Amino acid sequence: MRLDVVSIFPDYLRVLELSLIGRAATDGLLDLHVHDLRDWTRDRHRTVDDTPIGGGAGMVMKPDVWGAALDDVLAAPLPAAPAPGNVKDAPAPPPGARPAEPRRVLVIPTPSGDLFTQRTAEDLAGAAQLVFACGRYEGIDARVAEYYAAHGVEVREASIGDYVLNGGEAAALVMIEAIARLRPGVLGNPDSIVEESHTGAGLLEYPVYTRPVAWRGRDLSTEQPVLLSGDHARIARHRRDQAITRTAVRRPDLVAGIDTALLDAGDRVALARNGWVAPAGGSHPVPLVIRPAREPDLDALADLAARTFPDACPSFLTADQVAAHIAANLSPQRLATWLEDPRVVLTVAELPDGLPALTCDGAAAEPLPRGALVGYSAVLAELPDADGALPVGLDPRPRAVTVPDDADGAGLAVELSKVYVDARLRGSGIAAVLLAEAICDADTLGATVLWLGTNDANRRAQKAYRRVGFRRAGTRTYDVGGQQCRDVVMVVDPRGSQQA
Ligand code: ADE
């Protein structure tokens, strides 16, 4: 790759002689040329600027001087070796094809340009020649960029961020470093490109640590023991989760741009934990809020409950049996009772911005409106009220569930009565987050055991419960609209989950 930088301060670019970029130039990997713009002036004072036509503050760089300089530099001979089409393996040209013209790009650093990103760097790393035209003062006469663009030169007006520098030199240095390090052979260890921020799915890099393991009160062997486990798959998962959390906290704009096709199931759970949901078939994540249910939710919640309950039913149940169960157990009145009962925690998953229309399993799916409820959970404590009554809707505790005592000798069983997610958002990680919340809620209620019953045939649900720590304790018989069903009973000890 040939790199040309034109500036009125060529010495500013001397730093390019240092470090990896300098070594790449010495080794012949980069053909670096720095030019003094004033060499193309023709007057005694070597004038490069003039006052703005139309008035205003500052000075504007002259198009005639820049034109003379860029005509020369853009016509410079290029290194003999054929430039690869891309940093990644370029496809072989078809047999008999004429060699393509080498790609020359004129880059004009300017705060009013398109934002320079890692994608820009990756793209420009495939060019045969990059010419950086570094303006000063109020910038370069706008006709210069327009002229070269109109005459077949690829022109990129690029900004390195929303702030104003005194000239394009510092910006050019930033861009050159970002681009040059992507060229083959420039970096000592090419693996470091693969994992770093802004590559792949567009996540920020996870935090990194080195020895000593314990430093100033921060002990990684207790804070993040997985890093010392030697289990590479778990370490990779942990780091990826950290990268997702960090990106969600620092750069929500990047999360909103993630291509969901690049995410695995673990990524989706990590995103959901951080307030984003990546629906299957959707192109980008959308915001997700997990919050306590409120009175205005009741109708939508009853709707969601009626929509999701049939999904979890075995196929031998009739529509009437399912409908009877819904009418008796999932009515707005029942949900309203739960809202008012302090022994019940009712949680909803809401999409504050809704969901755009998308294709789900190959079928078109309607958009969801702002504030759509897409999941919920209900946790019911087995605590009698002043009259000795248990919460309405609490199922009889199965014999398989044992209730350990707490330190005061008083155990408490809590039922995870419901966890349902809209079928369209299955696999999005919402269920895992609702489950983790439910376990914390049970802990807050003082539970020593959290139990649930789920249909024997519903293996998908059982797997999801196992993943968050539930284990099978036995079975129970469960009535759905007069039909007896066999349920698996699962339990988890919720104590201490809030510190996890
Ligand atoms: N010149 C002055 N400010 C700049 C910026 N933010 N990016 C690129 N070039 C500039």
Side-chain angles (χ1 to χ4, degrees):
M1 169 183 265
R2 178 174 167 130
L3 280 175
D4 291 271
V5 187
V6 187
S7 161
I8 56 168
F9 296 120
D11 282 350
Y12 201 120
L13 285 307
R14 294 278 293 274
V15 286
L16 288 174
E17 292 160 19
L18 307 173
S19 173
L20 286 174
I21 308 295
R23 209 183 62 203
T26 315
D27 294 350
L29 296 169
L30 297 171
D31 183 19
L32 187 59
H33 301 263
V34 177
H35 312 270
D36 186 346
L37 177 69
R38 292 190 201 275
D39 290 348
W40 281 275
T41 55
R42 304 182 65 174
D43 64 319
R44 212 155 43 95
H45 302 290
R46 300 182 20 114
T47 310
V48 292
D49 58 343
D50 204 340
T51 55
I53 294 177
M59 301 290 273
V60 177
M61 298 194 96
K62 290 165 67 58
D64 47 345
V65 180
W66 271 109
L70 294 176
D71 284 351
D72 284 352
V73 174
L74 284 164
L78 296 181
N86 198 300
V87 234
K88 300 189 192 93
D89 291 351
R98 283 218 328 248
E101 279 289 303
R103 183 174 165 210
R104 300 181 190 252
V105 185
L106 171 58
V107 184
I108 306 181
T110 161
S112 47
D114 293 332
L115 190 62
F116 180 89
T117 67
Q118 188 66 22
R119 299 291 90 76
T120 325
E122 285 163 5
D123 175 34
L124 294 181
Q129 185 190 20
L130 297 177
V131 177
F132 287 86
C134 301
R136 283 262 150 184
Y137 319 121
E138 296 305 309
I140 302 173
D141 185 304
R143 289 169 294 182
V144 174
E146 286 161 13
Y147 171 86
Y148 287 101
H151 288 78
V153 176
E154 187 178 335
V155 178
R156 299 288 189 90
E157 294 186 77
S159 165
I160 59 162
D162 291 339
Y163 40 81
V164 179
L165 306 168
N166 283 339
E169 288 79 4
L173 288 174
V174 167
M175 294 189 236
I176 289 169
E177 183 154 325
I179 295 163
R181 64 195 293 284
L182 298 177
R183 297 283 304 181
V186 171
L187 272 199
N189 176 8
D191 285 350
S192 39
I193 293 178
V194 177
E195 281 196 12
E196 66 198 2
S197 299
H198 302 297
T199 54
L203 298 170
L204 301 183
E205 201 174 357
Y206 51 81
V208 292
Y209 308 94
T210 187
R211 267 152 292 282
V213 171
W215 179 73
R216 298 194 178 176
R218 298 282 312 278
D219 188 348
L220 296 173
S221 69
T222 51
E223 283 179 21
Q224 299 182 53
V226 61
L227 290 179
L228 300 157
S229 69
D231 181 337
H232 298 301
R234 281 184 58 226
I235 293 171
R237 179 70 263 158
H238 174 78
R239 287 179 165 163
R240 181 91 171 168
D241 289 350
Q242 292 218 320
I244 288 172
T245 301
R246 183 180 254 190
T247 312
V249 170
R250 297 185 178 174
R251 296 289 306 276
D253 58 311
L254 292 181
V255 177
I258 288 175
D259 176 357
T260 54
L262 300 173
L263 302 175
D264 65 18
D267 295 340
R268 287 168 197 269
V269 172
L271 274 174
R273 272 201 214 109
N274 285 285
W276 292 87
V277 65
S283 54
H284 300 297
V286 296
L288 165 74
V289 172
I290 307 283
R291 62 166 174 81
R294 300 186 286 252
E295 213 270 331
D297 297 324
L298 284 176
D299 286 339
L301 190 51
D303 216 57
L304 174 69
R307 212 166 60 233
T308 51
F309 180 71
D311 291 341
C313 289
S315 54
F316 59 77
L317 288 174
T318 65
D320 284 351
Q321 287 166 334
V322 173
H325 181 93
I326 291 170
N329 298 289
L330 296 168
S331 62
Q333 293 73 17
R334 166 62 59 81
L335 296 167
T337 314
W338 280 352
L339 262 192
E340 278 162 18
D341 190 333
R343 298 164 299 175
V344 179
V345 183
L346 199 53
T347 304
V348 293
E350 177 193 339
L351 302 185
D353 296 352
L355 196 64
L358 49 80
T359 311
C360 188
D361 295 335
E366 289 294 302
L368 293 179
R370 285 174 170 276
L373 298 187
V374 290
Y376 76 108
S377 67
V379 169
L380 283 69
E382 195 183 302
L383 281 168
D385 64 11
D387 302 325
L390 292 172
V392 180
L394 175 73
D395 293 320
R397 169 157 38 96
R399 259 193 312 243
V401 176
T402 47
V403 188
D405 281 345
D406 65 9
D408 305 326
L412 174 66
V414 169
E415 180 187 5
L416 176 52
S417 169
K418 315 274 175 259
V419 187
Y420 289 106
V421 174
D422 196 307
R424 189 164 149 187
L425 288 143
R426 217 171 261 158
S428 67
I430 295 179
V433 180
L434 283 172
L435 283 171
E437 285 286 317
I439 295 172
C440 286
D441 291 339
D443 190 17
T444 309
L445 287 164
T448 55
V449 65
L450 175 67
W451 69 271
L452 61 86
T454 185
N455 189 265
D456 195 26
N458 194 344
R459 299 292 142 124
R460 185 176 46 77
Q462 288 161 39
K463 193 168 153 203
Y465 296 136
R466 268 199 303 277
R467 251 192 243 119
V468 294
F470 280 90
R471 59 184 173 76
R472 186 189 163 109
T475 58
R476 73 167 178 181
T477 307
Y478 190 60
D479 181 289
V480 178
Q483 170 71 52
Q484 303 302 301
C485 301
R486 195 177 123 99
D487 268 8
V488 168
V489 173
M490 302 181 82
V491 293
V492 69
D493 182 349
R495 287 171 289 180
S497 60
Q498 290 161 96
Q499 282 88 58

